[in-house]
Amino acid sequence: MPDRWSFKSTVWPDWCPGCGNYGILTALIRSLEELGVDPSKTVVVSGIGCSGKTPHFVNVNGVHTLHGRAIPFAMGIKLARPELTVVVHGGDGDLLGIGAGHFVALGRRNLDIVVILHNNGVYGLTKGQASPTLPLGSKTKGIPRPNLQAAVNPLMLALAAGYTFVARGYAFEGEHLKTLIKKAVEHKGSAIIDVLQPCVTFNDILTPEYYKARIYKLESDPGWDPVVRTPEEREAKLLRAVQKALEPWDKIPIGVLYADETQSTMEERLSERLKIYPALNPSNSPISGADGGPVISVDDFAKAFSDYIVEVKKTQGRFNLKG
Amino acid sequence: MRRTELSLILGGPQGSGLETAMWILTLSLARAGYGVIADREYYSNIVGRHSYIHMRVSSARRPRSLKLPVEVLVASDAETLFTHFNDIGDGGYLIYDTSIKAKQLSDVPSVEDVTRKRIMSQLSSLGVRGDTDSLISYLASSRSVLPIPIDSVKIFRALSERFKLNAKQASRFSSSILGSALTVVMGLDPEDLEYAVRRRFGARKDLLEQNMFVAQLVGEMVKDYRGIVKLEDPSMNAERIMVVTGNETVAMGKIIGGVRFQSYYPITPAADESIMLEKYEVLDSGKGPVGPILVLQAEDEIAAIASVIGASLTGARSSTATSGPGFDLMIEGIGWAGNNETPVVITYYQRGGPSTGLPTRGGQSDLFNALFSGHGEFARVVLASGDHKEALYDAAEAFNIAEKYQVPVIHLLDKFLANSIVTETLPDFSLVKLERGMRGAEGPGYKRFDLSSTISPRLPLGAKDTVMWYTGDEHDELGHISEDPENRARMYSKRIEKLKLINMEIPSSFKLTVHGHESPDYALVGWGFVKGVAIEAIEQLSSRGLRGMYVNLRLMWPFPTEEFTRLVRGLDPDKIIAVEHSYGVSIADLIAMNTGVRVGKKISKYTGRPIYLNELTEAVQSLLSGRTERAEVSLGA
């Protein structure tokens, strides 16, 4: 890669003027710059919707996938080539509605992937329908009647699912968000950052003014320490994270709620079982011999699959050659 | 009379060790040099519903189809007798557990009401009462069936005494008792049985002793019948024989073909393949470890295909295995792979649909689902395997096609193939070549979707100094979203026109295989598991003076239009018969759509059971001699 690599691609971001996504994009680009990642070893994976376009605006590998499916795409990439840094971008509908099963499954696996949740309470690109994080009874200008469905709490869901890094950021707190992304990338295991992001076009309730009046930083409390350093600390830190995640909505904490470094990652579990996995992974292990044939010979095959092979008894001496 | 082949059914409740009995029997017969095919039919149930093994054994060939009636019915419970009494031919043999005596059909709770009514009306039309004793005496007197009773209680007792087993442990031998009886009436050398038990149970010395003890007791019990259905000595010459299911040959083919990532969500009858891949996640090549094959049990089929695509983007040979309901969930992902020219292999084991349909029964009703699923147009390749060996080679070849042409490849199989066991020779490794397609030049100038050739050279995510983009939207050469009409037309047509290239480059001998007479009086046309039964049917009909050809279609899409048209040119459409395990016999429509050739006649079976040799020959004869266009066959319980 050239010495001075621009992590910003040349593609024009076509988000609405004033959109929270710009703040998230800037924080992402700056965190990647500061982390000094190799763009060719970094992959941004997204789902569908406004946030889904993020990979095109970043000058690292980008995979813009299907609605709700960014996480399983990312899992395949990470498992097959663990050296890659993999960052998922998805909206609240994408990750907590259509893709909620995958969101939960990633936590269970604790695979080393960062999930950045663009949380704006609405489905923007289809003109403002209620998303799974829009509070019950809210009537935004994109919907004709107040919301009949209650909101899911992404942080609670993530903690319950087993994510080992759980944080909340705000799209217009760029420096703070950049730091969260850097920490999440450096964390070993599944990381989620719930990024509150005003949708200036369709959500006239969760506005910048709304957030400005409520947001406060966890780090402003000098005693706040979300890091689990030993298994014994886990329960207490998890409970405190839950308390923070449940704080009444008139005071919104942002920052790292929980960071557990004591849980094994899926890569570690795999490496323990599959001793060759760290050196030979699915993307780099040879599959054919010099002649283009299989890496195993017919004798290797017979040995490996001996359970399926019978040595035919030749008692009669009457075998003919017609087979 | 010297027999060269024998068919049998061995039935009992699900969970009573039938599958073990099937393996032991097949391994014994393979050891002795016979050819075997054995199909397992079962309900979607874990314990208690009726299950059976339908087997055909031959001393002269490796049989590839089943037939009815059978010469031997082995009943470990009353339900088996009630369900299959019509499946024994006149002069056949009924081996039964004496515990089934004096049982009423109305008292067997696992029989479905609709089935009970059907059986009852059959029995009354024959003038037989609805109990086992009447049925056994009817079979003996009117069908000349020889009943051979086995007193398993006596054997359980001896087993318990000798090995200090409790009643539950002893009852696990119920299927092997009847399996042993079969080896006796077939006149098998007890050494072959011992070999099979050893193979099945490995180092479990206790199980070997117990099984051999059972065999000895059973041997004494039925000594008067020893060898009554003995086959001629085998006349095939292989020294090493695989005893495998279709699931297993596909897994073997994937391993030979270099699979490195497989993700799946559990579903019958596909899951066994993934389980086997996980079991063999690392192999020993003699030159060091081979692998790994990373098997991910995903949270659903959507995640399975998505993770497979993700892994493929990094350059790993990646695949999934599923059946109809799971495939439906994967379709959106397959469209994404098509739009992004991503090689993935989807192994698709058909079963009876629609919806969950017949979850544990077979069918071929998903051809169009494989061919036309998904919105928009994109290139995909669909392969279908006709038998276990073909399934092995196709599983490896599917990756080559996927990578060379950067397309999703759907490999179609069915439950019959997946779950049936056959004896088969070892694969010929010289027939397997691994081709990975063109690799691009690394560096900042790389364009993933370069338009200067039909196949853009590929690089994996993570290639040195290279970045690339993918999107499900229409995109430009770099992979960025583009709605420009000119770019759209070029990208869209480039993707679809690969099909022409594929059709040009895949050898005709792979696309379809032709069996039987070269200038026939009639042609059977089919695909998948029809192959075995169709080939054997034309052989049988040949001895009745009907010269037939079977066209086995293997490359279903892009359809081998030229090759097929050439083959059937000059044949009267009314002498072309399409055979399929479906109602619609969709292959006939696919042929018409691609070639304009009208297939005049159709043979259809959609009961979830395989097409049997005898019903196929009869249906072919009646269609050729009559004016009807369609025959439905429906044998089997």
Side-chain angles (χ1 to χ4, degrees):
Chain A
M1 303 259 111
D3 289 344
R4 282 187 60 81
W5 180 265
S6 170
F7 282 87
K8 191 174 178 312
S9 84
T10 54
V11 178
W12 171 67
D14 59 357
W15 292 318
C16 305
C19 175
N21 277 334
Y22 290 103
I24 302 174
L25 177 64
T26 305
L28 173 70
I29 286 172
R30 289 188 52 205
S31 65
L32 295 177
E33 273 168 6
E34 290 184 17
L35 286 164
V37 298
D38 177 348
S40 66
K41 305 288 182 222
T42 307
V43 193
V44 175
V45 187
S46 67
I48 292 294
C50 296
S51 65
K53 294 179 179 177
T54 305
H56 300 286
F57 310 141
V58 187
N59 203 14
V60 302
N61 292 301
V63 185
H64 177 190
T65 72
L66 294 163
H67 198 26
R69 317 302 168 205
I71 286 176
F73 272 81
M75 284 199 309
I77 293 167
K78 184 70 183 175
L79 284 168
R81 194 155 191 156
E83 72 190 270
L84 301 178
T85 299
V86 181
V87 180
V88 166
H89 281 260
D92 33 47
D94 201 82
L95 291 168
L96 303 173
I98 187 167
H102 312 305
F103 181 87
V104 170
L106 179 59
R108 280 201 300 134
R109 293 178 181 128
N110 199 26
L111 188 63
D112 190 13
I113 288 174
V114 176
V115 178
I116 298 178
L117 168 63
H118 296 226
N119 183 350
N120 63 11
V122 293
Y123 287 82
L125 207 50
T126 50
K127 302 199 189 315
Q129 297 84 354
S131 90
T133 55
L134 187 70
L136 176 66
S138 291
K139 154 93 183 71
T140 58
K141 70 179 188 189
I143 49 178
R145 301 263 184 272
N147 184 18
L148 283 175
Q149 307 183 58
V152 67
N153 182 327
L155 301 173
M156 290 291 292
L157 188 60
L159 290 167
Y163 283 80
T164 50
F165 182 96
V166 178
R168 185 191 271 143
Y170 176 50
F172 294 137
E173 283 284 352
E175 272 297 306
H176 183 259
L177 182 57
K178 180 195 76 187
T179 310
L180 289 182
I181 296 174
K182 282 169 72 178
K183 282 186 179 164
V185 171
E186 283 167 343
H187 174 79
K188 289 273 161 269
S190 298
I192 157 85
I193 309 173
D194 172 28
V195 185
L196 304 171
Q197 173 227 349
C199 171
V200 292
T201 304
F202 293 111
N203 194 331
D204 52 348
I205 293 169
L206 303 170
T207 59
E209 295 71 35
Y210 177 95
Y211 284 125
K212 199 172 175 200
R214 290 168 177 80
I215 273 172
Y216 76 97
K217 292 184 182 130
L218 285 166
E219 298 80 4
S220 59
D221 171 3
W224 179 252
D225 175 14
V227 180
V228 178
R229 293 179 185 82
T230 63
E232 294 71 36
E233 278 188 320
R234 185 163 184 262
E235 193 182 338
K237 296 261 164 113
L238 197 52
L239 279 170
R240 279 178 47 198
V242 168
Q243 265 170 352
K244 280 291 170 198
L246 286 176
E247 271 185 6
W249 202 231
D250 54 352
K251 258 179 73 205
I252 305 173
I254 60 172
V256 180
L257 275 82
Y258 183 70
D260 184 352
E261 293 170 355
T262 66
Q263 307 296 314
S264 66
T265 63
M266 184 144 173
E267 295 96 309
E268 287 165 351
R269 296 169 208 164
L270 270 168
S271 304
E272 196 158 309
R273 191 184 80 194
L274 268 165
K275 300 291 180 208
I276 66 171
Y277 181 62
L280 285 179
N281 57 55
S283 75
N284 72 359
S285 100
I287 64 165
S288 59
D291 58 348
V295 264
I296 53 170
S297 66
V298 72
D299 289 330
D300 298 332
F301 176 89
K303 205 172 118 197
F305 297 114
S306 61
D307 281 358
Y308 302 90
I309 294 167
V310 166
E311 302 83 37
V312 178
K313 192 172 68 172
K314 282 195 170 186
T315 49
Q316 312 299 329
R318 291 187 45 202
F319 292 92
N320 67 29
L321 292 173
K322 283 196 297 187
Chain B
M1 184 187 70
R2 301 293 281 184
R3 295 168 189 274
T4 56
E5 68 167 66
L6 182 76
S7 288
L8 62 94
I9 284 174
L10 166 57
Q14 178 81 355
S16 68
L18 272 175
E19 200 184 343
T20 304
M22 168 170 74
W23 275 101
I24 293 200
L25 209 51
T26 308
L27 288 168
S28 311
L29 290 161
R31 171 69 168 170
Y34 295 106
V36 182
I37 182 170
D39 173 49
R40 193 160 69 87
E41 288 296 330
Y42 50 100
Y43 281 82
S44 180
N45 158 258
I46 297 172
V47 171
R49 300 293 298 263
H50 177 61
S51 173
Y52 67 96
I53 311 301
H54 189 169
M55 190 182 271
R56 188 160 152 234
V57 188
S58 166
S59 59
R61 66 188 303 157
R62 289 179 199 102
R64 287 296 177 265
S65 72
L66 297 163
K67 63 187 251 315
L68 285 175
V70 295
E71 286 82 20
V72 185
L73 173 66
V74 188
S76 80
D77 65 354
E79 184 168 357
T80 300
L81 181 65
F82 288 123
T83 310
H84 296 282
F85 73 92
N86 254 338
D87 294 339
I88 328 180
D90 291 354
Y93 303 86
L94 169 69
I95 301 175
Y96 67 97
D97 191 318
T98 47
S99 66
I100 76 172
K101 297 281 288 173
K103 287 261 163 55
Q104 299 287 334
L105 174 58
S106 53
D107 291 342
V108 184
S110 49
V111 178
E112 288 172 13
D113 285 347
V114 54
T115 310
R116 196 189 318 276
K117 273 187 203 138
R118 181 166 53 75
I119 296 171
M120 205 50 113
S121 92
Q122 280 173 355
L123 290 176
S124 54
S125 73
L126 297 167
V128 183
R129 286 197 312 274
D131 65 278
T132 48
D133 292 355
S134 315
L135 191 47
I136 293 170
S137 34
Y138 158 77
L139 287 172
S141 60
S142 305
R143 300 266 187 94
S144 318
V145 168
L146 181 68
I148 305 175
I150 306 279
D151 185 350
S152 60
V153 174
K154 206 166 144 189
I155 295 169
F156 287 145
R157 218 176 285 135
L159 249 182
S160 307
E161 223 165 90
R162 166 85 182 268
F163 296 97
K164 309 280 172 265
L165 302 182
N166 61 36
K168 197 176 166 207
Q169 288 167 321
S171 73
R172 291 202 188 111
F173 285 86
S174 101
S175 291
S176 55
I177 289 171
L178 292 152
S180 286
L182 267 171
T183 65
V184 177
V185 297
M186 291 174 82
L188 276 186
D189 188 338
E191 264 180 54
D192 298 336
L193 179 65
E194 187 173 334
Y195 172 88
V197 174
R198 238 184 249 284
R199 290 303 301 271
R200 187 67 185 174
F201 297 115
R204 294 285 305 271
K205 203 165 161 256
D206 53 334
L207 285 174
L208 177 68
E209 278 178 21
Q210 289 159 11
N211 272 284
M212 294 318 293
F213 179 69
V214 165
Q216 193 195 331
L217 293 183
V218 172
E220 283 158 22
M221 204 173 268
V222 295
K223 61 177 184 297
D224 295 348
Y225 308 101
R226 186 179 295 281
I228 47 167
V229 289
K230 190 171 166 50
L231 292 172
E232 278 198 27
D233 288 334
S235 58
M236 290 165 288
N237 69 343
E239 290 173 24
R240 289 192 293 192
I241 278 290
M242 298 197 292
V243 177
V244 280
T245 67
N247 284 135
E248 289 158 358
T249 58
V250 171
M252 288 170 174
K254 285 189 175 182
I255 292 169
I256 298 168
V259 68
R260 289 293 174 266
F261 185 88
Q262 167 121 341
S263 183
Y264 77 106
Y265 186 73
I267 191 165
T268 305
D272 288 353
E273 180 202 307
S274 300
I275 297 293
M276 177 156 168
L277 287 177
E278 188 164 344
K279 187 172 161 200
Y280 292 94
E281 60 188 2
V282 180
L283 285 191
D284 183 7
S285 76
K287 283 174 271 164
V290 173
I293 301 163
L294 207 158
V295 178
L296 175 70
Q297 184 186 325
E299 57 272 23
D300 53 36
E301 282 90 350
I302 295 169
I305 188 71
S307 61
V308 163
I309 296 169
S312 175
L313 295 177
T314 75
R317 281 203 157 178
S318 306
S319 58
T320 182
T322 191
S323 65
F327 182 84
D328 288 354
L329 292 179
M330 291 183 181
I331 292 169
E332 198 190 12
I334 296 168
W336 193 96
N339 197 32
N340 283 281
E341 308 186 43
T342 308
V344 287
V345 171
I346 302 106
T347 313
Y348 185 165
Y349 295 90
Q350 300 164 88
R351 61 188 210 186
S355 190
T356 33
L358 297 175
T360 60
R361 313 283 181 182
Q364 290 182 294
S365 46
D366 297 356
L367 179 58
F368 287 169
N369 198 31
L371 297 176
F372 305 129
S373 54
H375 56 279
E377 303 151 282
F378 59 92
R380 83 188 72 193
V381 171
V382 181
L383 303 177
S385 301
D387 55 43
H388 293 62
K389 187 64 109 25
E390 233 174 60
L392 186 149
Y393 292 126
D394 290 350
E397 190 58 26
F399 287 114
N400 289 341
I401 295 171
E403 289 196 331
K404 258 174 85 176
Y405 303 103
Q406 303 177 15
V407 289
V409 175
I410 298 163
H411 181 193
L412 272 177
L413 301 144
D414 55 60
K415 179 263 167 182
F416 308 123
L417 185 69
N419 284 171
S420 59
I421 298 182
V422 293
T423 51
E424 180 56 272
T425 53
L426 267 65
D428 178 353
F429 273 47
S430 71
L431 298 178
V432 183
K433 286 279 169 281
L434 283 78
E435 298 174 81
R436 310 215 61 181
M438 218 196 307
R439 196 181 154 91
E442 292 173 340
Y446 176 70
K447 290 192 281 191
R448 173 63 190 93
F449 302 103
D450 191 319
L451 278 167
S452 55
S453 57
T454 307
I455 312 288
S456 312
R458 197 169 164 247
L459 278 178
L461 286 175
K464 193 171 183 314
D465 292 347
T466 310
V467 294
M468 64 195 84
W469 290 270
Y470 290 92
T471 172
D473 288 22
E474 190 55 89
H475 46 258
D476 61 18
E477 291 184 294
L478 288 170
H480 287 309
I481 297 170
S482 167
E483 297 190 16
D484 178 78
E486 193 185 312
N487 174 76
R488 160 71 169 178
R490 291 179 70 197
M491 275 295 166
Y492 198 79
S493 56
K494 169 205 178 220
R495 286 192 297 263
I496 296 167
E497 281 161 15
K498 286 180 191 182
L499 288 171
K500 286 183 198 154
L501 192 66
I502 293 168
N503 216 342
M504 219 163 65
E505 292 188 359
I506 292 183
S508 297
S509 59
F510 181 89
K511 294 176 182 174
L512 45 80
T513 56
V514 186
H515 310 265
H517 293 274
E518 277 172 21
S519 47
D521 301 329
Y522 74 97
L524 294 186
V525 183
W527 57 286
F529 201 64
V530 165
K531 181 183 173 188
V533 69
I535 292 174
E536 292 182 359
I538 56 171
E539 284 174 14
Q540 282 209 351
L541 290 169
S542 186
S543 64
R544 297 182 208 167
L546 281 167
R547 293 150 41 89
M549 169 171 82
Y550 175 61
V551 185
N552 169 49
L553 286 157
R554 195 169 176 195
L555 181 66
M556 311 305 287
W557 196 263
F559 192 81
T561 304
E562 250 180 62
E563 287 86 351
F564 186 84
T565 314
R566 210 181 312 131
L567 265 179
V568 298
R569 188 172 293 150
L571 261 181
D572 173 357
D574 285 333
K575 302 287 181 197
I576 308 177
I577 305 173
V579 188
E580 197 171 275
H581 291 96
S582 72
Y583 181 88
V585 193
S586 44
I587 189 68
D589 297 329
L590 185 67
I591 290 167
M593 168 186 162
N594 283 282
T595 65
V597 171
R598 184 176 73 89
V599 172
K601 312 232 159 170
K602 296 175 182 175
I603 296 174
S604 147
K605 185 169 190 177
Y606 48 94
T607 59
R609 280 69 174 171
I611 295 173
Y612 302 116
L613 182 55
N614 51 303
E615 62 184 353
L616 183 58
T617 54
E618 280 164 32
V620 170
Q621 270 188 307
S622 93
L623 282 183
L624 288 177
S625 61
R627 276 206 213 149
T628 43
E629 290 187 346
R630 182 180 165 86
E632 286 192 5
V633 294
S634 60
L635 281 182

